[in-house]
Amino acid sequence: MIRQFTKGIFQRNPVFVLLLGLCPTLAVSTSVGNAIGMGAAATFVLVFSNLIVSLLRKLVPNKIRIPCYIVVIATFVTLVELVLEAYLPDLNASLGLFVPLIVVNCIILGRAEAFASRNAPLVSVVDGLGMGVGFTLALTVLGTIREISGSNTLLGLELIPNFSPAMIMILPPGAFLTIGLLLGLFALLRSRREKGGVSPAGEGS
Amino acid sequence: MKEGTILKLGLTLTAICLAAAAALAVSYRMTKPTIDARARADKLEALRVVLPAAAKFSDRQSGPEIDYYEGRDGSGNLVGYAFPGEAKGYSSTISVMVGVDPEGTITGIKILEQKETPGLGTQAVDVPASRTFWEALLGRGEKGPAGRPPFQEQFAGKTASQLQVVRGKSEDKIEALTGATITSRAVTDAVKESLQTFLKQQKRI
């Protein structure tokens, strides 16, 4: 059970290993605050959609399983959107379009299809939580690097007085530069550990 | 495929959609009052910022060209008007609220909505933090009340003819944001156009 949780953080980290959900990752990791907010919202959806999909796995006929999953996921995303709008309007404004787009975040449909539809509810929830935490951590790492180098701030507070930061880091090119370097680092660490093993393949984006 | 199967698939999907719709209806009803209250509070807050001298605001008055609000002080004297404006920025439509005194001098503006480039165009709504990250970490320095964005503060006390964007320092014009000239111009245009429309409308009445 613990392994099901930690695999989402390390061996099968959705962003750094599976390369899933890169679009929201690149777009909202401009600051640590945004990264954590997006991660939390996606984790919530992931946990509950995994739970419901797992509960429904014997009732839903195979032929219509994908539309059913999408309905379940879309329902939870709309819920998150309503809650953010009502109670966290600032976060809602900065995440913008990316909240509704959680619906099509491949991590969520991917876990519903690959895991929750074949496993018991409890272990599916743990899987969702692990993947969500892994996603949040990845976003936070990116957000920290980009906020420090691009805005010279951390959580909105200035780091080095009178220092002009590298603006490019908070713009889209900075996102690609950061994720490219991080992916390279991860691949290097893994290949070191596997001692010349084949580089692990992603599962699409 | 047998007719029976199609019927079964359809019914299953219908049942799932019905359950999702019911869940959303309930949460929509639960969050609606908070969302509405917040929208009202935001509007009132915007009116207060742009017309600080006023204690009470009228409902939205519809004019032939532009809708406006009247602001009165504690004893019921007219102290100014507030009205909305908008213009196309770099990556979004920027909407503003503008306040003027009865002579047509701007008393304040507030950007209501924008989705400009983070770190560049968004400087228009940024308030510099009053302390650095290290001070906050060590618990030193005053947190201080959140101030107003310096870019928007420039508009107070200006008249329509002074609404010109210049690079670098200026006493009587609008100083452009570094690296965000288009956003600076868009905000200024939004203010200028709505102000001119409003003044023309006032003259006719």
Side-chain angles (χ1 to χ4, degrees):
Chain A
M1 189 67 87
I2 292 166
R3 248 189 56 79
Q4 294 297 346
F5 179 72
T6 56
K7 73 160 193 250
I9 301 173
F10 302 109
Q11 299 103 299
R12 304 192 69 67
N13 184 295
V15 175
F16 293 135
V17 182
L18 304 182
L19 301 180
L20 286 174
L22 285 184
C23 170
T25 306
L26 296 175
V28 301
S29 60
T30 49
S31 72
V32 181
N34 282 357
I36 295 173
M38 181 68 183
T43 306
F44 174 86
V45 175
L46 197 48
V47 166
F48 282 93
S49 69
N50 262 10
L51 173 68
I52 302 291
V53 166
S54 173
L55 286 171
L56 291 175
R57 72 188 188 282
K58 289 188 181 120
L59 296 171
V60 174
N62 207 28
K63 287 199 180 82
I64 53 161
R65 64 183 197 286
I66 300 289
C68 291
Y69 300 161
I70 292 288
V71 169
V72 169
I73 295 166
T75 308
F76 283 112
V77 170
T78 315
L79 254 170
V80 168
E81 221 189 329
L82 287 171
V83 169
L84 282 181
E85 204 178 334
Y87 302 106
L88 297 163
D90 291 343
L91 184 62
N92 190 38
S94 63
L95 294 181
L97 185 64
F98 289 93
V99 176
L101 281 183
I102 296 176
V103 178
V104 287
N105 187 324
C106 349
I107 298 172
I108 296 170
L109 186 62
R111 293 328 285 172
E113 168 74 7
F115 196 92
S117 63
R118 289 165 204 174
N119 288 285
L122 184 63
V123 71
S124 297
V125 166
V126 174
D127 173 80
L129 201 62
M131 285 289 165
V133 171
F135 181 60
T136 312
L137 278 178
L139 273 173
T140 310
V141 170
L142 270 157
T144 310
I145 296 174
R146 292 181 66 196
E147 191 180 342
I148 291 178
S149 56
S151 315
N152 184 25
T153 60
L154 195 58
L155 292 165
L157 298 163
E158 192 177 30
L159 285 173
I160 309 164
N162 303 320
F163 174 74
S164 177
M167 198 75 85
I168 192 173
M169 293 307 285
I170 49 170
L171 299 176
F176 285 104
L177 288 175
T178 316
I179 193 132
L181 292 172
L182 284 173
L183 287 177
L185 186 70
F186 261 66
L188 182 73
L189 290 177
R190 261 200 322 270
S191 67
R192 281 262 175 88
R193 199 157 26 149
E194 288 163 13
K195 286 239 168 94
V198 281
S199 70
E203 296 182 9
S205 58
Chain B
M1 208 190 292
K2 277 194 297 182
E3 261 176 48
T5 352
I6 295 175
L7 199 63
K8 194 186 156 216
L9 294 183
L11 284 176
T12 316
L13 203 49
T14 311
I16 288 176
C17 289
L18 276 177
L24 283 183
V26 170
S27 48
Y28 179 73
R29 285 194 68 125
M30 276 164 61
T31 49
K32 185 132 180 35
T34 322
I35 294 173
D36 287 351
R38 200 174 283 280
R40 273 196 304 275
D42 282 352
K43 199 191 76 186
L44 193 64
E45 165 68 19
L47 290 174
R48 286 229 173 89
V49 166
V50 301
L51 213 51
K56 269 191 73 169
F57 294 94
S58 71
D59 288 335
R60 195 181 175 115
Q61 313 279 313
S62 57
E65 308 267 347
I66 186 170
D67 291 355
Y68 61 96
Y69 302 87
E70 284 173 358
R72 290 173 191 281
D73 66 10
S75 38
N77 302 315
L78 185 73
V79 291
Y81 306 92
F83 44 86
E86 63 176 40
K88 186 88 191 65
Y90 185 74
S91 59
S92 64
T93 300
I94 301 173
S95 66
V96 295
M97 181 72 88
V98 184
V100 291
D101 65 14
E103 282 78 48
T105 307
I106 296 172
T107 53
I109 72 149
K110 184 171 164 63
I111 295 177
L112 303 176
E113 253 189 78
Q114 55 80 26
K115 289 196 172 67
E116 297 293 286
T117 317
L120 295 174
T122 54
Q123 293 174 96
V125 295
D126 279 349
V127 184
S130 57
R131 55 180 182 172
T132 67
F133 178 74
W134 311 111
E135 283 171 344
L137 200 67
L138 298 169
R140 264 189 279 162
E142 286 295 301
K143 198 171 178 190
R148 294 262 310 128
F151 178 74
Q152 297 178 47
E153 286 292 274
Q154 298 183 71
F155 287 82
K158 298 228 169 21
T159 55
S161 58
Q162 290 176 303
L163 293 178
Q164 280 171 28
V165 179
V166 291
R167 289 178 198 214
K169 298 270 164 233
S170 171
E171 287 294 311
D172 59 347
K173 300 207 169 79
I174 304 296
E175 289 172 24
L177 295 161
T178 319
T181 318
I182 296 178
T183 305
S184 311
R185 283 212 194 103
V187 175
T188 311
D189 286 348
V191 173
K192 195 172 180 174
E193 266 166 41
S194 59
L195 176 60
Q196 284 169 341
T197 314
F198 177 77
L199 291 177
K200 216 168 29 174
Q201 174 177 297
Q202 283 301 100
K203 236 181 252 167
R204 254 200 264 159
I205 294 171

